[in-house]
Amino acid sequence: MSDDHGKRMIDKMTSSERDQSSPDSEPRDAATIMLIDRAGPQPKVLLGRRHAGHKFMPGKFVFPGGRIEAQDRNMQAATELHPDTQAKLLERVAESSAELARGFALAAVREMAEETGLLLGAKRADAPKTPADDWALFAEAKIFPDLAQMHFIARAITPPRQPKRFDNRFFTADATLIAHKIEGVVGENSELVELVWIPIEQGTQLDMPTITGVILEELAARVAAGMAHSLPVPFYFMQDQKFFRDLL
């Protein structure tokens, strides 16, 4: 990706309005997944609209995702992360272990299931061994997460003095990885009230947080570059009141 691309992304982050009235706090590890459908002439990405009653980003279109749970790293999987993906996930972290890296990716898969009812992975005759009730849906459907199919696209840390702060890892996977669907998860009384498949280039036309639009453009650039696991991963963070876009 060019230097111009990086500067354009930073300009978008810098020009966005930011509430900096909250007490400072440590960002919590989180993971997000961007599901891509490449069956048609234009790649489409899955976005969900948050319930208007939520205090955090009400009514905004976002990618499914959330906080990492301690037991995520222990979930049984059909395959493990690509070595390049694992290495990039472990850059600039206090703990450097294969278990931590797989925990990031597995959290994204779990959050996708909880928020959309879409279980990503490989269906088998037996059921995976689950480390916690959070993974019961996968055991019931006999779905094993397929980590080798997960691509690490970007990392972003919420700026200081925000109401909620996350150190978020953004993954992508192909829609062909959907192995099972649970009906009734999305609806008017759920965290996500609707799901939409939209061409990646048109996604920013929706009402979404600035960082979501920035990461959408990073996703489009990654698709254009061929999606290799070895490609650099942009890392967004704020330091001394300035946004930075580094590469992992």
Short mmCIF file of all heavy atoms in Angstrom, two decimals, residues 105-145:
data_model
loop_
_atom_site.label_atom_id
_atom_site.label_comp_id
_atom_site.label_asym_id
_atom_site.label_seq_id
_atom_site.Cartn_x
_atom_site.Cartn_y
_atom_site.Cartn_z
N ALA A 105 -8.28 -14.76 17.14
CA ALA A 105 -9.08 -15.23 16.00
C ALA A 105 -10.33 -15.97 16.46
O ALA A 105 -11.42 -15.80 15.88
CB ALA A 105 -8.22 -16.14 15.12
N LEU A 106 -10.18 -16.78 17.49
CA LEU A 106 -11.34 -17.55 17.97
C LEU A 106 -12.40 -16.64 18.59
O LEU A 106 -13.60 -16.89 18.44
CB LEU A 106 -10.88 -18.59 18.98
CG LEU A 106 -10.20 -19.81 18.36
CD1 LEU A 106 -9.39 -20.59 19.39
CD2 LEU A 106 -11.24 -20.72 17.70
N ALA A 107 -11.98 -15.57 19.23
CA ALA A 107 -12.95 -14.62 19.78
C ALA A 107 -13.79 -14.00 18.67
O ALA A 107 -15.00 -13.81 18.81
CB ALA A 107 -12.23 -13.52 20.57
N ALA A 108 -13.15 -13.68 17.53
CA ALA A 108 -13.88 -13.12 16.40
C ALA A 108 -14.92 -14.11 15.88
O ALA A 108 -16.05 -13.73 15.56
CB ALA A 108 -12.91 -12.74 15.28
N VAL A 109 -14.55 -15.39 15.81
CA VAL A 109 -15.48 -16.43 15.34
C VAL A 109 -16.65 -16.57 16.32
O VAL A 109 -17.81 -16.69 15.91
CB VAL A 109 -14.74 -17.76 15.18
CG1 VAL A 109 -15.71 -18.89 14.89
CG2 VAL A 109 -13.70 -17.67 14.07
N ARG A 110 -16.35 -16.58 17.62
CA ARG A 110 -17.40 -16.71 18.63
C ARG A 110 -18.36 -15.52 18.58
O ARG A 110 -19.59 -15.70 18.65
CB ARG A 110 -16.77 -16.84 20.01
CG ARG A 110 -17.80 -16.85 21.15
CD ARG A 110 -17.15 -16.91 22.51
NE ARG A 110 -16.14 -15.90 22.71
CZ ARG A 110 -16.39 -14.61 22.94
NH1 ARG A 110 -17.65 -14.17 22.98
NH2 ARG A 110 -15.40 -13.75 23.14
N GLU A 111 -17.81 -14.31 18.48
CA GLU A 111 -18.67 -13.13 18.45
C GLU A 111 -19.56 -13.11 17.20
O GLU A 111 -20.71 -12.69 17.27
CB GLU A 111 -17.80 -11.87 18.50
CG GLU A 111 -17.17 -11.60 19.85
CD GLU A 111 -18.18 -11.10 20.87
OE1 GLU A 111 -19.25 -10.62 20.47
OE2 GLU A 111 -17.88 -11.17 22.08
N MET A 112 -19.02 -13.59 16.09
CA MET A 112 -19.83 -13.69 14.87
C MET A 112 -21.04 -14.60 15.12
O MET A 112 -22.18 -14.27 14.74
CB MET A 112 -18.99 -14.22 13.71
CG MET A 112 -19.78 -14.59 12.46
SD MET A 112 -20.53 -13.17 11.62
CE MET A 112 -19.12 -12.52 10.73
N ALA A 113 -20.81 -15.72 15.76
CA ALA A 113 -21.90 -16.66 16.05
C ALA A 113 -22.92 -16.04 17.00
O ALA A 113 -24.14 -16.14 16.78
CB ALA A 113 -21.33 -17.94 16.63
N GLU A 114 -22.45 -15.39 18.05
CA GLU A 114 -23.35 -14.83 19.06
C GLU A 114 -24.19 -13.69 18.51
O GLU A 114 -25.36 -13.53 18.88
CB GLU A 114 -22.54 -14.35 20.26
CG GLU A 114 -21.90 -15.47 21.06
CD GLU A 114 -21.04 -14.98 22.20
OE1 GLU A 114 -20.90 -13.74 22.35
OE2 GLU A 114 -20.51 -15.82 22.95
N GLU A 115 -23.63 -12.88 17.61
CA GLU A 115 -24.32 -11.69 17.14
C GLU A 115 -25.11 -11.91 15.87
O GLU A 115 -26.06 -11.16 15.59
CB GLU A 115 -23.32 -10.55 16.93
CG GLU A 115 -22.66 -10.09 18.22
CD GLU A 115 -21.74 -8.90 18.03
OE1 GLU A 115 -21.68 -8.37 16.90
OE2 GLU A 115 -21.07 -8.51 19.00
N THR A 116 -24.73 -12.90 15.06
CA THR A 116 -25.41 -13.11 13.77
C THR A 116 -26.02 -14.49 13.60
O THR A 116 -26.84 -14.69 12.69
CB THR A 116 -24.42 -12.90 12.60
OG1 THR A 116 -23.48 -13.99 12.58
CG2 THR A 116 -23.67 -11.58 12.75
N GLY A 117 -25.62 -15.46 14.42
CA GLY A 117 -26.09 -16.83 14.24
C GLY A 117 -25.32 -17.59 13.18
O GLY A 117 -25.65 -18.73 12.87
N LEU A 118 -24.27 -16.99 12.62
CA LEU A 118 -23.46 -17.64 11.59
C LEU A 118 -22.25 -18.31 12.24
O LEU A 118 -21.43 -17.64 12.89
CB LEU A 118 -22.99 -16.62 10.55
CG LEU A 118 -24.09 -15.88 9.79
CD1 LEU A 118 -23.48 -14.84 8.85
CD2 LEU A 118 -24.96 -16.86 9.01
N LEU A 119 -22.15 -19.62 12.08
CA LEU A 119 -21.04 -20.39 12.65
C LEU A 119 -20.04 -20.68 11.54
O LEU A 119 -20.38 -21.30 10.53
CB LEU A 119 -21.54 -21.70 13.27
CG LEU A 119 -22.08 -21.61 14.71
CD1 LEU A 119 -23.26 -20.67 14.80
CD2 LEU A 119 -22.45 -22.99 15.22
N LEU A 120 -18.82 -20.21 11.72
CA LEU A 120 -17.78 -20.35 10.71
C LEU A 120 -16.87 -21.52 11.07
O LEU A 120 -16.41 -21.62 12.20
CB LEU A 120 -16.95 -19.06 10.62
CG LEU A 120 -17.71 -17.75 10.44
CD1 LEU A 120 -16.73 -16.59 10.33
CD2 LEU A 120 -18.60 -17.80 9.22
N GLY A 121 -16.60 -22.37 10.08
CA GLY A 121 -15.69 -23.48 10.33
C GLY A 121 -15.96 -24.68 9.45
O GLY A 121 -16.49 -24.56 8.34
N ALA A 122 -15.59 -25.83 9.97
CA ALA A 122 -15.74 -27.11 9.25
C ALA A 122 -16.64 -28.04 10.05
O ALA A 122 -16.44 -28.23 11.24
CB ALA A 122 -14.37 -27.75 9.04
N LYS A 123 -17.65 -28.60 9.37
CA LYS A 123 -18.57 -29.52 10.03
C LYS A 123 -17.99 -30.93 10.01
O LYS A 123 -17.48 -31.38 8.98
CB LYS A 123 -19.93 -29.51 9.34
CG LYS A 123 -21.01 -30.25 10.12
CD LYS A 123 -22.37 -30.01 9.50
CE LYS A 123 -23.48 -30.70 10.30
NZ LYS A 123 -23.61 -30.17 11.66
N ARG A 124 -18.07 -31.60 11.15
CA ARG A 124 -17.54 -32.95 11.27
C ARG A 124 -18.58 -33.86 11.91
O ARG A 124 -19.62 -33.42 12.40
CB ARG A 124 -16.26 -32.95 12.10
CG ARG A 124 -15.07 -32.26 11.44
CD ARG A 124 -13.83 -32.35 12.30
NE ARG A 124 -12.65 -31.84 11.63
CZ ARG A 124 -11.46 -31.74 12.20
NH1 ARG A 124 -11.28 -32.13 13.47
NH2 ARG A 124 -10.42 -31.26 11.53
N ALA A 125 -18.27 -35.15 11.92
CA ALA A 125 -19.18 -36.12 12.51
C ALA A 125 -19.18 -36.04 14.04
O ALA A 125 -20.19 -36.34 14.70
CB ALA A 125 -18.81 -37.53 12.06
N ASP A 126 -18.05 -35.65 14.61
CA ASP A 126 -17.95 -35.52 16.06
C ASP A 126 -18.04 -34.05 16.45
O ASP A 126 -18.03 -33.16 15.60
CB ASP A 126 -16.63 -36.11 16.56
CG ASP A 126 -15.42 -35.47 15.88
OD1 ASP A 126 -15.58 -34.95 14.75
OD2 ASP A 126 -14.33 -35.46 16.48
N ALA A 127 -18.16 -33.80 17.74
CA ALA A 127 -18.28 -32.43 18.23
C ALA A 127 -16.97 -31.97 18.84
O ALA A 127 -16.23 -32.76 19.43
CB ALA A 127 -19.39 -32.34 19.28
N PRO A 128 -16.63 -30.68 18.69
CA PRO A 128 -15.41 -30.18 19.31
C PRO A 128 -15.52 -30.12 20.83
O PRO A 128 -16.62 -30.00 21.37
CB PRO A 128 -15.28 -28.76 18.72
CG PRO A 128 -16.69 -28.36 18.44
CD PRO A 128 -17.39 -29.61 17.99
N LYS A 129 -14.40 -30.23 21.49
CA LYS A 129 -14.37 -30.06 22.94
C LYS A 129 -14.38 -28.56 23.23
O LYS A 129 -13.52 -27.82 22.75
CB LYS A 129 -13.12 -30.71 23.53
CG LYS A 129 -13.09 -32.22 23.34
CD LYS A 129 -11.79 -32.81 23.89
CE LYS A 129 -11.74 -34.32 23.67
NZ LYS A 129 -10.46 -34.90 24.17
N THR A 130 -15.35 -28.12 24.00
CA THR A 130 -15.51 -26.69 24.23
C THR A 130 -15.01 -26.32 25.63
O THR A 130 -15.26 -27.04 26.60
CB THR A 130 -16.98 -26.26 24.09
OG1 THR A 130 -17.77 -27.03 25.00
CG2 THR A 130 -17.47 -26.53 22.68
N PRO A 131 -14.31 -25.18 25.75
CA PRO A 131 -13.76 -24.78 27.04
C PRO A 131 -14.74 -24.03 27.94
O PRO A 131 -14.49 -23.84 29.11
CB PRO A 131 -12.61 -23.85 26.64
CG PRO A 131 -13.09 -23.22 25.36
CD PRO A 131 -13.88 -24.29 24.66
N ALA A 132 -15.87 -23.59 27.38
CA ALA A 132 -16.83 -22.80 28.15
C ALA A 132 -18.18 -22.83 27.44
O ALA A 132 -18.29 -23.21 26.27
CB ALA A 132 -16.34 -21.36 28.30
N ASP A 133 -19.23 -22.44 28.18
CA ASP A 133 -20.58 -22.43 27.61
C ASP A 133 -20.69 -21.51 26.41
O ASP A 133 -21.59 -21.68 25.57
CB ASP A 133 -21.59 -22.01 28.68
CG ASP A 133 -21.78 -23.06 29.77
OD1 ASP A 133 -21.37 -24.22 29.53
OD2 ASP A 133 -22.29 -22.72 30.84
N ASP A 134 -19.80 -20.50 26.33
CA ASP A 134 -19.84 -19.57 25.20
C ASP A 134 -19.70 -20.29 23.86
O ASP A 134 -20.12 -19.76 22.82
CB ASP A 134 -18.71 -18.55 25.32
CG ASP A 134 -18.91 -17.60 26.50
OD1 ASP A 134 -20.05 -17.50 26.98
OD2 ASP A 134 -17.94 -16.97 26.93
N TRP A 135 -19.11 -21.47 23.88
CA TRP A 135 -18.85 -22.23 22.65
C TRP A 135 -19.83 -23.39 22.46
O TRP A 135 -19.64 -24.21 21.57
CB TRP A 135 -17.41 -22.74 22.65
CG TRP A 135 -16.41 -21.67 22.43
CD1 TRP A 135 -15.72 -20.96 23.37
CD2 TRP A 135 -16.00 -21.14 21.17
NE1 TRP A 135 -14.91 -20.03 22.77
CE2 TRP A 135 -15.05 -20.12 21.42
CE3 TRP A 135 -16.34 -21.44 19.84
CZ2 TRP A 135 -14.44 -19.41 20.40
CZ3 TRP A 135 -15.72 -20.72 18.83
CH2 TRP A 135 -14.80 -19.71 19.12
N ALA A 136 -20.88 -23.45 23.25
CA ALA A 136 -21.81 -24.57 23.19
C ALA A 136 -22.48 -24.70 21.81
O ALA A 136 -22.77 -25.81 21.35
CB ALA A 136 -22.87 -24.43 24.28
N LEU A 137 -22.73 -23.57 21.16
CA LEU A 137 -23.38 -23.60 19.84
C LEU A 137 -22.56 -24.41 18.85
O LEU A 137 -23.12 -25.13 18.00
CB LEU A 137 -23.57 -22.18 19.31
CG LEU A 137 -24.52 -21.26 20.09
CD1 LEU A 137 -24.46 -19.85 19.51
CD2 LEU A 137 -25.94 -21.80 20.05
N PHE A 138 -21.24 -24.33 18.93
CA PHE A 138 -20.37 -25.05 18.01
C PHE A 138 -20.38 -26.55 18.30
O PHE A 138 -20.35 -27.36 17.38
CB PHE A 138 -18.95 -24.49 18.08
CG PHE A 138 -18.80 -23.16 17.41
CD1 PHE A 138 -19.20 -21.99 18.05
CD2 PHE A 138 -18.30 -23.06 16.12
CE1 PHE A 138 -19.10 -20.76 17.43
CE2 PHE A 138 -18.18 -21.83 15.48
CZ PHE A 138 -18.59 -20.68 16.15
N ALA A 139 -20.45 -26.90 19.57
CA ALA A 139 -20.52 -28.32 19.93
C ALA A 139 -21.84 -28.92 19.46
O ALA A 139 -21.87 -30.04 18.91
CB ALA A 139 -20.36 -28.48 21.44
N GLU A 140 -22.93 -28.18 19.65
CA GLU A 140 -24.25 -28.69 19.24
C GLU A 140 -24.32 -28.89 17.73
O GLU A 140 -24.93 -29.86 17.25
CB GLU A 140 -25.33 -27.72 19.70
CG GLU A 140 -25.49 -27.64 21.21
CD GLU A 140 -26.38 -26.49 21.63
OE1 GLU A 140 -26.97 -25.83 20.74
OE2 GLU A 140 -26.48 -26.23 22.85
N ALA A 141 -23.71 -27.99 16.96
CA ALA A 141 -23.76 -28.08 15.50
C ALA A 141 -22.60 -28.90 14.92
O ALA A 141 -22.54 -29.12 13.71
CB ALA A 141 -23.73 -26.67 14.89
N LYS A 142 -21.66 -29.33 15.79
CA LYS A 142 -20.48 -30.11 15.38
C LYS A 142 -19.62 -29.34 14.38
O LYS A 142 -19.20 -29.86 13.35
CB LYS A 142 -20.90 -31.47 14.82
CG LYS A 142 -21.64 -32.34 15.85
CD LYS A 142 -22.02 -33.69 15.28
CE LYS A 142 -22.72 -34.53 16.34
NZ LYS A 142 -23.12 -35.86 15.81
N ILE A 143 -19.39 -28.06 14.73
CA ILE A 143 -18.59 -27.18 13.89
C ILE A 143 -17.26 -26.88 14.59
O ILE A 143 -17.24 -26.48 15.75
CB ILE A 143 -19.32 -25.84 13.62
CG1 ILE A 143 -20.71 -26.09 13.01
CG2 ILE A 143 -18.47 -24.95 12.72
CD1 ILE A 143 -20.68 -26.80 11.68
N PHE A 144 -16.17 -27.08 13.86
CA PHE A 144 -14.84 -26.75 14.35
C PHE A 144 -14.36 -25.47 13.65
O PHE A 144 -14.33 -25.42 12.42
CB PHE A 144 -13.84 -27.88 14.02
CG PHE A 144 -14.02 -29.14 14.82
CD1 PHE A 144 -15.11 -29.98 14.61
CD2 PHE A 144 -13.08 -29.51 15.78
CE1 PHE A 144 -15.27 -31.15 15.34
CE2 PHE A 144 -13.22 -30.68 16.51
CZ PHE A 144 -14.31 -31.50 16.30
N PRO A 145 -13.99 -24.43 14.38
CA PRO A 145 -13.43 -23.24 13.74
C PRO A 145 -12.23 -23.59 12.87
O PRO A 145 -11.43 -24.44 13.23
CB PRO A 145 -13.03 -22.35 14.92
CG PRO A 145 -13.92 -22.80 16.04
CD PRO A 145 -14.10 -24.27 15.84
#
